[in-house]
């Protein structure tokens, strides 16, 4: 599926090409530590976990309690899951499928 959203531009293409060159988690840590603030990295990680938990049918209260995410963040991630470009869905399907199930 070809991305047809409004973000596409050469500098962002270059960033994503750079990310695709990373070979392991250690290289990801090195690159993202240089490119992003710690808060930005933690925020992205939190949103991914919120998306995983939403797909596993956790309640907003459970998600907020376990991740520390605000209800506004949870709502924004839910909107992306329902009406976004399917980026979360692509990644979550490719991650360990067992992790994407509801675990108490």
């Amino acid at each position: 599926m070809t991305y047809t959203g409004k973000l596409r531009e050469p500098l962002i293409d270059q960033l994503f090409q750079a990310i695709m060159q990373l070979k392991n988690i250690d290289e990801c840590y090195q690159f993202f530590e240089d490119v992003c603030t710690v808060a930005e990295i933690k925020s992205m990680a939190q949103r991914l976990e919120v998306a995983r938990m939403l797909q596993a049918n956790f309640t907003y209260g459970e998600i907020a309690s376990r991740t520390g995410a605000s209800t506004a963040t949870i709502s924004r991630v839910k909107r992306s899951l329902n009406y976004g470009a399917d980026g979360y869905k692509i990644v979550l399907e490719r991650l360990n499928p067992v992790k994407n199930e509801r675990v108490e």
Side-chain angles (χ1 to χ4, degrees):
M1 178 173 116
T2 302
Y3 175 76
T4 57
K6 53 190 166 194
L7 279 178
R8 175 141 292 167
E9 64 178 57
L11 287 178
I12 296 175
D13 285 352
Q14 177 179 268
L15 171 64
F16 294 156
Q17 287 293 332
I19 292 168
M20 290 174 31
Q21 301 309 305
L22 301 171
K23 296 189 181 349
N24 55 49
I25 287 179
D26 289 329
E27 287 184 2
C28 288
Y29 273 102
Q30 290 172 290
F31 179 74
F32 281 94
E33 185 174 325
D34 285 350
V35 172
C36 300
T37 66
V38 172
E40 289 168 334
I41 296 167
K42 288 184 176 190
S43 180
M44 287 188 284
Q46 180 188 63
R47 288 193 301 267
L48 180 60
E49 179 60 6
V50 167
R52 185 197 68 76
M53 292 179 77
L54 284 167
Q55 280 199 332
N57 297 313
F58 283 84
T59 66
Y60 274 39
E62 291 170 318
I63 295 168
S65 173
R66 292 186 187 193
T67 67
S70 68
T71 55
T73 296
I74 298 167
S75 293
R76 190 177 81 202
V77 171
K78 185 172 182 85
R79 224 175 5 262
S80 291
L81 282 169
N82 291 333
Y83 306 109
D86 290 337
Y88 282 123
K89 291 175 185 174
I90 290 167
V91 168
L92 291 171
E93 285 174 6
R94 292 180 186 170
L95 288 173
N96 183 358
V98 174
K99 187 174 183 197
N100 294 325
E101 296 174 2
R102 183 181 174 104
V103 178
E104 294 297 327

